[in-house]
Amino acid sequence: MKKMIYPVTVKIPGRDDFLVILNVNITTECKYVGNGSKCTFWNETLQKYSEFCKDLPECSHTSTSNCNDLTTDEIGFCREDVSSLIQKVTAKGTFTMNREYLDDFRNKSSEAYQDLNNNLTASLAKSFSNLKGFQCVKILQFRKGSLIVEFELNINGELSSKDFLRQAEDAISLIGSEADSDSLKLKVHGLLKMEVYPEVIRYKGVVNLSCIIKGRVDESKWFIRASREKEDAPIAERLYVLDEGDQRSVSKLSINATAIWKGKYTCSMSVFNGSIVQEVQREVQFYLLPDEIIVTPSNYTRLSDSQPNHNFSNDVQCCIKQDNEAYDVTLESDTNNFATDSGGNPKTLNNQTCWTFTLHCTVQTTTEFKCNFTNRANISTSENFRLIFLNESNTKCPPDKNGNYIWPTTQANSYAESNSTCEEGNVGKIIRNCDEKGQWQNVFKNCTFVKLLKLWDISEEIKQGRGNVTKVVTEVLDELKDTMKATGITIANNRASVKILDSISQAVNNSNSEVSFTEVSNFLSIASTLIEQKLRTAEDAQIQNSDTSTLMISIETFATAMDSTEKDRNQSLQQIQLKAIEFDARSTDYYYVNFSGNSTATLNVTGWGNLSNNVRISNLLFADLDKVLPSTEEDLIVNSQILTSTIISTSNRTNKISPLIKLTLSPKTLPANLKTARCVFWDYRVINNTQIGWSSNGCNTTTIESNILCTCNHLTSFAVLMSPNPKLIPFIDELTYIGLSISIMSLLICITIEKITWKTVTKSSIAYSRHITQLNTAVALLLAQISFLIGSTKYIKMQDDLCTVATIFTHFFFLSTFFWTLNQSLTLLHQIIFVFHHIGRLTFISFCFLIGYGGPLAIVIATTTSFLKKDMYKRKDNCWLNATLNHKFSAFLTFIIPVGCIIAINIIILTIVILKLLRPNISEGLKQEKEAIKKIMKAVLIFTPTFGLTWIVGFALLKNNSDFLHYAFVLLNSFQGLFILLAAGFTEKKIREALVNHFKPMVSRTTSENVQTKHSFQSSTK
């Protein structure tokens, strides 16, 4: 009340009058201190509160008496030197006041700030005085947001979070109606305790940190800050666990004592939805050791000297990554015949710290030395290097100068290090191999851009659980994208970039984080560039291939982490295509996607179970990754694009789904040995010391036309392995063209015979029906085979439009051929069943032409409409239908399905005909049975080619790609025209008689003319 602003006007209850209070004189005040209370009075002379029990002296700060000295520090009620504390607790808090924020509040010297500061400090001090163990309170600042008040509160003693919050809210309420007690937030230091075990921490040893507080808490969080950092870095939740109980809560953090975990730790526990946050901080120090020691040169070669005690000198450099640890660095060896001169203090450049020594040596045999690093805990680690002595008889590479590089004598089957260093801004070595024959190989610059190494360090930190994954991933990808433009194409930079992407993807996966499509797009763009660099860089392919597997799995992992708010997303890059879609698993159990390009790839997914939420399917097609990814299978190569597919539940990202998957992949290199094709996936697991590589477990392989269908019961990265030597069936092409030529000639003869004998053999309705279907079958087959031959020419294959036209005509006329065979079989069936029922010729012709040409035309129009625009109508390598599936269907299926149905119908009708031939002869003698068998055999021979039954072999080829079936298909179908000529042209007696009658007058006339010529010749010679 003493700090209230007077005068104060108060309305008198029950009356219209008001009471004006000009001032209030406080004579005595009682406060709670510890478990008791104490009354004091205000001494105007000393301007302080004094105890009743004292003679008004100032309280001594060294006194052990229960004296609560509240001498004011300005108006803040806080002193820096409060003593005799039971447990010092500091709370920094904020609350909101419903009043306007003034610009003058920015200036703490302004009158407005001083007035509000004095009033609030006095009110808070008065209000908090009832808080158990209250010491002091002061205002820190005012901020915008209506008016946000920041204050600091000191308490002497321990109290629960529940009591703390309740009493603090009550204190804020006492300020007045302007203060919102519900907005109170407190950050408390002093109630939370941290323990570290063990007391003596060894490098890379396990360190356990425990955060302990009384009562239950809502959650705990851990943070770390190194000396070089300006803000705390969050620690991944997977590294700590919260153990709650009614009496106390403990949060336990376990880390390994490495360089990234050295610093100040903050443990934070929150209660009441974050209204109170308890914090404790502790510095955790341990002595480091270098993870990698780089010795230059790693080997030093000399020719043996004839003078045994000849002394020589050489500089040796021992370098480590800068870690600010104080090391004792020495050069050591088992021999005593050496001495060293230190190169002075270590020098730091490009994030490396190096110690340089001059080695003086008199040894004449190969000797091992080591750079030894000892930390302040007297723990050491070292890296060896050798001084190699060679005799004249040893195989070696002679000294050489290559451009700016000087190469010393080097032992065979080892490498030398150049006298030159990497360019500025790069670290590493420039080396050159000496092969087993003593021949120098190409120079290899193993130099890595320093910025890439720093990005790798940052990526490794978030991978191990240190730092804000979402924030760091965005920053690293942006910087990596910019850095790659300046680094140039080198294997070392490429490998460092791959490691960065790998660390990022693992960090995202470990933290179960989501990334935006922008991050995914940047990641894929960088990965595509890295693949292109691998393809263009000719240096040491083995080094390139070694990390391609890492790149592939990192791409798959990162793309899978795309934010669930991102719906359908596609991206097409030079080396990578992404197609991602999210849909409701309850509404459909089927998914299809198609990739097109130099080779095709399709994906059908079914059977993901009864999921009750959405799923995301992410598909990646790698254009040329197969060229830098080893086959890992002897005598087989990757001959397809690599297709990666993953499915996750968007509500539970850890729920990886493994449905049934069907992929159709086409060979990249033609001609291909399809007989050796194997569907495989890239197995990243190492089982029983087996290296990662291609595996066919869980996958079945089927060849469809020139494509390979892979059916697998799991998801990952798929490809097709096959022999690099194309499968060539001897003389198959020659047989095909010879057969087609003979077939075309035979069909022309057959059509000619029908024209010659038409009037003679079509006098009856039954004969007319048979010959009209037979003639159109021959015409359709003739045009189909001519279209196929035209489409087989090299010129037509190279002209995409002409090839498409040839495919359309071949498609139509082959379908028409089978539909006309259907007309033949239906006509025969009608004649057998309905013996006395005849159909008019016009009706019959209309029906047959509608089926024979209308049906195929409708199918071809529908097929071209559906598949032509998608570039999925014809195959890439020839002018025939594409077997690649598109939503469970393909252009090729529009041919084999109707053809298969027609062949099935024709077989049924042929069976009925055979049974009909057998029925009248069952009870007759042996002779009649033989006649029946002859009729059956004749029927089979005639109707098999005319009904197109020889194409059954083609269906068998879809399942079995054997040479025998290839030969059988070519012989039976390429010569189909010849078989039709023999079966339908010469087996019918009326046709033979008509031909004889047609050609007999011509033969007689020719004979008569020959006789007359002979007589004339004889008469002239007499």
Side-chain angles (χ1 to χ4, degrees):
M1 295 180 67
K2 180 173 72 69
K3 298 300 180 180
M4 291 180 63
I5 301 174
Y6 297 96
V8 176
T9 303
V10 181
K11 187 177 183 302
I12 301 174
R15 299 178 59 178
D16 294 329
D17 299 328
F18 291 83
L19 176 66
V20 179
I21 302 175
L22 300 176
N23 194 13
V24 175
N25 184 24
I26 301 174
T27 60
T28 306
E29 182 176 359
C30 293
K31 299 178 181 292
Y32 290 97
V33 178
N35 295 323
S37 61
K38 177 176 62 178
C39 294
T40 59
F41 70 93
W42 180 257
N43 187 289
E44 292 292 338
T45 305
L46 297 177
Q47 288 293 299
K48 61 178 283 186
Y49 284 99
S50 298
E51 294 181 55
F52 274 95
C53 59
K54 301 292 182 181
D55 295 328
L56 306 182
E58 185 169 319
C59 293
S60 171
H61 296 302
T62 59
S63 171
T64 58
S65 66
N66 190 21
C67 177
N68 188 21
D69 186 354
L70 291 178
T71 303
T72 61
D73 177 12
E74 297 179 345
I75 199 73
F77 286 87
C78 277
R79 291 178 57 106
E80 297 293 336
D81 53 354
V82 176
S83 61
S84 302
L85 295 180
I86 301 172
Q87 180 177 343
K88 183 178 180 180
V89 178
T90 302
K92 290 185 178 181
T94 63
F95 64 90
T96 303
M97 296 189 67
N98 187 22
R99 63 180 295 173
E100 182 182 0
Y101 177 85
L102 303 176
D103 290 338
D104 286 348
F105 292 157
R106 297 175 182 174
N107 182 8
K108 292 187 177 183
S109 300
S110 66
E111 183 178 351
Y113 181 92
Q114 289 293 325
D115 288 343
L116 183 59
N117 178 63
N118 293 341
N119 290 333
L120 284 179
T121 301
S123 298
L124 287 173
K126 190 73 174 178
S127 301
F128 279 124
S129 63
N130 291 326
L131 187 63
K132 182 180 177 181
F134 170 74
Q135 286 291 318
C136 59
V137 66
K138 66 178 178 181
I139 301 298
L140 299 178
Q141 67 170 342
F142 303 120
R143 293 189 285 109
K144 283 185 178 180
S146 292
L147 178 67
I148 299 175
V149 180
E150 291 186 15
F151 65 94
E152 183 180 285
L153 175 67
N154 288 339
I155 303 168
N156 179 18
E158 186 176 8
L159 71 165
S160 69
S161 298
K162 182 178 180 180
D163 292 340
F164 199 162
L165 181 62
R166 178 179 56 80
Q167 294 189 49
E169 287 179 341
D170 291 345
I172 299 300
S173 300
L174 291 174
I175 295 176
S177 59
E178 287 185 320
D180 180 10
S181 61
D182 292 335
S183 66
L184 177 66
K185 301 289 183 183
L186 290 171
K187 183 176 288 188
V188 182
H189 291 264
L191 296 179
L192 199 58
K193 298 180 177 64
M194 186 186 297
E195 297 178 354
V196 180
Y197 179 83
E199 294 182 3
V200 178
I201 302 173
R202 295 182 64 87
Y203 179 63
K204 289 190 177 179
V206 176
V207 182
N208 295 303
L209 294 88
S210 298
C211 191
I212 307 167
I213 194 172
K214 288 185 178 180
R216 287 186 172 272
V217 297
D218 295 335
E219 65 173 354
S220 66
K221 293 182 179 180
W222 287 83
F223 303 87
I224 184 174
R225 182 187 296 189
S227 58
R228 69 182 187 278
E229 293 178 312
K230 296 181 179 180
E231 59 183 20
D232 290 342
I235 298 175
E237 294 181 4
R238 68 178 185 275
L239 300 180
Y240 55 86
V241 61
L242 177 62
D243 183 12
E244 290 186 282
D246 293 331
Q247 299 300 319
R248 71 173 192 170
S249 297
V250 181
S251 182
K252 300 176 182 178
L253 169 67
S254 293
I255 52 99
N256 291 319
T258 57
I260 69 169
W261 296 112
K262 186 176 180 180
K264 180 183 286 186
Y265 285 80
T266 300
C267 176
S268 170
M269 288 186 172
S270 61
V271 292
F272 308 120
N273 297 320
S275 295
I276 291 185
V277 177
Q278 305 275 5
E279 282 191 352
V280 62
Q281 292 181 333
R282 181 165 176 176
E283 192 84 22
V284 176
Q285 295 291 346
F286 42 82
Y287 300 121
L288 302 176
L289 283 174
D291 291 325
E292 181 184 20
I293 301 172
I294 301 173
V295 183
T296 305
S298 56
N299 291 312
Y300 185 75
T301 306
R302 284 183 60 88
L303 291 175
S304 294
D305 201 317
S306 58
Q307 302 177 17
N309 296 320
H310 181 69
N311 193 326
F312 62 90
S313 302
N314 191 62
D315 285 343
V316 177
Q317 197 173 60
C318 304
C319 299
I320 62 170
K321 186 170 73 174
Q322 182 182 7
D323 61 7
N324 297 320
E325 184 66 65
Y327 294 108
D328 179 22
V329 184
T330 57
L331 280 186
E332 300 178 4
S333 177
D334 292 336
T335 181
N336 295 321
N337 298 328
F338 80 99
T340 60
D341 294 335
S342 173
N345 294 326
K347 296 181 179 179
T348 300
L349 180 66
N350 292 331
N351 205 35
Q352 273 193 335
T353 304
C354 296
W355 287 258
T356 302
F357 300 89
T358 302
L359 177 63
H360 305 282
C361 195
T362 59
V363 297
Q364 288 289 307
T365 58
T366 298
T367 305
E368 284 205 354
F369 296 84
K370 63 181 179 181
C371 284
N372 192 71
F373 284 74
T374 305
N375 63 16
R376 287 173 290 174
N378 204 30
I379 302 173
S380 300
T381 186
S382 61
E383 180 69 21
N384 294 340
F385 67 97
R386 290 192 304 165
L387 181 60
I388 302 172
F389 283 86
L390 298 177
N391 299 317
E392 291 294 336
S393 59
N394 293 129
T395 305
K396 52 188 172 296
C397 290
D400 186 35
K401 184 176 182 181
N402 185 324
N404 295 326
Y405 307 126
I406 298 175
W407 306 101
T409 301
T410 302
Q411 185 180 22
N413 211 23
S414 62
Y415 68 88
E417 298 172 15
S418 171
N419 62 313
S420 300
T421 58
C422 294
E423 297 176 358
E424 186 178 354
N426 292 265
V427 294
K429 296 180 179 181
I430 302 173
I431 63 176
R432 191 179 185 189
N433 282 326
C434 175
D435 66 18
E436 64 277 3
K437 296 180 181 180
Q439 301 293 323
W440 285 113
Q441 302 300 303
N442 292 332
V443 175
F444 176 61
K445 294 182 180 180
N446 192 24
C447 300
T448 306
F449 202 39
V450 173
K451 288 185 178 180
L452 290 178
L453 294 177
K454 290 181 179 179
L455 291 177
W456 185 20
D457 288 341
I458 296 171
S459 304
E460 278 292 300
E461 288 184 6
I462 59 171
K463 170 186 167 182
Q464 295 184 40
R466 188 189 191 282
N468 186 323
V469 174
T470 303
K471 178 183 177 183
V472 173
V473 164
T474 301
E475 294 173 350
V476 169
L477 287 177
D478 289 341
E479 192 166 348
L480 178 58
K481 199 171 183 180
D482 295 336
T483 304
M484 285 181 61
K485 297 176 182 178
T487 58
I489 303 172
T490 67
I491 293 178
N493 287 334
N494 192 294
R495 295 186 70 187
S497 300
V498 169
K499 289 177 180 178
I500 293 169
L501 295 185
D502 178 51
S503 297
I504 286 175
S505 65
Q506 288 192 52
V508 170
N509 185 61
N510 292 341
S511 62
N512 199 26
S513 301
E514 292 186 340
V515 292
S516 68
F517 178 71
T518 302
E519 270 72 55
V520 173
S521 180
N522 286 339
F523 193 101
L524 295 182
S525 177
I526 294 168
S528 180
T529 302
L530 291 175
I531 295 173
E532 288 183 56
Q533 289 180 357
K534 287 178 176 291
L535 294 170
R536 291 199 301 265
T537 306
E539 298 177 83
D540 205 335
Q542 186 176 0
I543 295 178
Q544 289 193 79
N545 292 338
S546 62
D547 60 353
T548 306
S549 173
T550 302
L551 178 60
M552 186 167 64
I553 184 61
S554 66
I555 295 171
E556 175 185 332
T557 303
F558 198 84
T560 305
M562 187 158 44
D563 192 342
S564 57
T565 60
E566 305 280 1
K567 300 301 180 183
D568 298 359
R569 290 292 186 177
N570 298 326
Q571 186 176 19
S572 183
L573 300 166
Q574 186 72 23
Q575 292 297 328
I576 303 173
Q577 290 185 62
L578 167 68
K579 291 189 178 183
I581 186 173
E582 180 182 334
F583 57 89
D584 190 347
R586 295 168 295 184
S587 62
T588 179
D589 63 348
Y590 170 78
Y591 169 74
Y592 168 85
V593 67
N594 174 66
F595 292 94
S596 60
N598 295 330
S599 61
T600 57
T602 62
L603 176 70
N604 289 274
V605 184
T606 57
W608 41 68
N610 298 321
L611 295 177
S612 59
N613 50 25
N614 287 4
V615 296
R616 175 184 294 282
I617 299 184
S618 301
N619 304 287
L620 294 155
L621 185 72
F622 299 97
D624 297 310
L625 190 64
D626 56 287
K627 295 179 180 178
V628 288
L629 193 66
S631 70
T632 71
E633 295 286 339
E634 189 176 357
D635 299 329
L636 295 177
I637 63 169
V638 182
N639 192 17
S640 73
Q641 293 177 316
I642 296 174
L643 179 61
T644 297
S645 183
T646 57
I647 305 179
I648 61 167
S649 169
T650 55
S651 62
N652 182 9
R653 302 190 65 84
T654 59
N655 182 17
K656 298 292 192 300
I657 305 164
S658 295
L660 181 66
I661 182 171
K662 293 184 178 180
L663 305 96
T664 305
L665 299 170
S666 62
K668 292 182 66 177
T669 304
L670 296 171
N673 191 344
L674 298 179
K675 192 172 182 179
T676 62
R678 283 178 54 196
C679 293
V680 292
F681 72 97
W682 190 257
D683 194 347
Y684 303 99
R685 302 169 300 170
V686 179
I687 303 175
N688 297 329
N689 296 322
T690 301
Q691 292 184 348
I692 60 174
W694 295 111
S695 172
S696 58
N697 292 336
C699 290
N700 294 320
T701 306
T702 306
T703 301
I704 301 179
E705 288 282 298
S706 62
N707 295 323
I708 299 93
L709 174 64
C710 301
T711 304
C712 302
N713 58 12
H714 53 76
L715 295 171
T716 185
S717 300
F718 299 94
V720 174
L721 299 181
M722 61 181 66
S723 172
N725 302 316
K727 172 67 174 175
L728 298 177
I729 303 175
F731 306 111
I732 195 72
D733 291 338
E734 290 80 357
L735 282 174
T736 300
Y737 293 126
I738 292 172
L740 287 175
S741 301
I742 294 174
S743 180
I744 290 171
M745 293 300 298
S746 300
L747 290 170
L748 289 172
I749 295 172
C750 185
I751 294 169
T752 303
I753 290 174
E754 288 288 348
K755 182 179 182 300
I756 293 172
T757 62
W758 185 260
K759 291 182 180 180
T760 305
V761 298
T762 58
K763 292 179 179 180
S764 67
S765 297
I766 295 175
Y768 180 84
S769 301
R770 185 170 70 255
H771 283 280
I772 195 70
T773 55
Q774 188 172 289
L775 175 61
N776 280 279
T777 300
V779 171
L781 182 58
L782 173 66
L783 295 174
Q785 292 183 340
I786 292 173
S787 300
F788 181 81
L789 278 178
I790 293 173
S792 300
T793 60
K794 185 176 180 180
Y795 175 78
I796 298 297
K797 285 182 180 180
M798 294 176 64
Q799 304 296 322
D800 192 64
D801 293 339
L802 293 179
C803 188
T804 301
V805 172
T807 304
I808 292 173
F809 277 102
T810 306
H811 186 195
F812 172 76
F813 285 118
F814 268 121
L815 279 177
S816 183
T817 300
F818 281 95
F819 273 90
W820 274 106
T821 65
L822 178 63
N823 282 333
Q824 286 189 71
S825 62
L826 292 175
T827 300
L828 180 61
L829 181 65
H830 180 269
Q831 292 171 355
I832 292 175
I833 297 176
F834 305 101
V835 179
F836 301 104
H837 182 272
H838 300 286
I839 303 174
R841 290 192 176 186
L842 182 60
T843 303
F844 177 78
I845 290 174
S846 300
F847 175 79
C848 287
F849 271 75
L850 180 63
I851 293 178
Y853 295 115
L857 182 61
I859 292 174
V860 171
I861 291 174
T863 305
T864 52
T865 303
S866 301
F867 292 95
L868 204 56
K869 290 183 179 180
K870 299 176 182 178
D871 197 25
M872 295 183 63
Y873 178 68
K874 70 175 188 67
R875 286 160 50 170
K876 300 292 182 182
D877 55 335
N878 58 45
C879 305
W880 183 233
L881 299 173
N882 194 336
T884 303
L885 294 176
N886 180 22
H887 295 285
K888 284 189 176 180
F889 214 69
S890 70
F892 183 61
L893 291 178
T894 65
F895 176 75
I896 62 171
I897 289 177
V899 167
C901 293
I902 291 172
I903 290 176
I905 294 171
N906 290 348
I907 290 174
I908 294 171
I909 293 174
L910 180 60
T911 304
I912 294 173
V913 170
I914 293 172
L915 294 175
K916 190 72 174 176
L917 291 173
L918 284 173
R919 188 179 302 167
N921 303 309
I922 292 176
S923 60
E924 298 183 13
L926 181 60
K927 183 178 180 180
Q928 295 298 326
E929 289 182 7
K930 291 181 178 180
E931 288 296 325
I933 294 173
K934 289 181 181 180
K935 289 181 180 179
I936 292 170
M937 292 179 64
K938 180 180 178 181
V940 171
L941 290 173
I942 292 173
F943 294 128
T944 295
T946 55
F947 282 6
L949 303 185
T950 54
W951 281 72
I952 294 174
V953 180
F955 285 88
L957 272 172
L958 296 177
K959 296 293 183 182
N960 187 346
N961 199 28
S962 68
D963 292 355
F964 172 77
L965 289 178
H966 275 285
Y967 283 119
F969 180 78
V970 169
L971 290 172
L972 290 175
N973 293 289
S974 295
F975 292 89
Q976 189 176 3
L978 176 62
F979 296 147
I980 290 175
L981 173 63
L982 296 175
F986 296 122
T987 57
E988 189 175 342
K989 185 177 179 181
K990 286 186 178 182
I991 291 180
R992 294 198 303 270
E993 291 175 351
L995 287 174
V996 170
N997 293 333
H998 178 76
F999 288 105
K1000 187 175 181 180
M1002 297 174 59
V1003 173
S1004 299
R1005 190 181 310 114
T1006 303
T1007 304
S1008 176
E1009 290 176 355
N1010 289 338
V1011 171
Q1012 290 178 4
T1013 303
K1014 181 178 180 181
H1015 283 296
S1016 299
F1017 177 76
Q1018 290 176 349
S1019 299
S1020 64
T1021 57
K1022 288 182 178 180

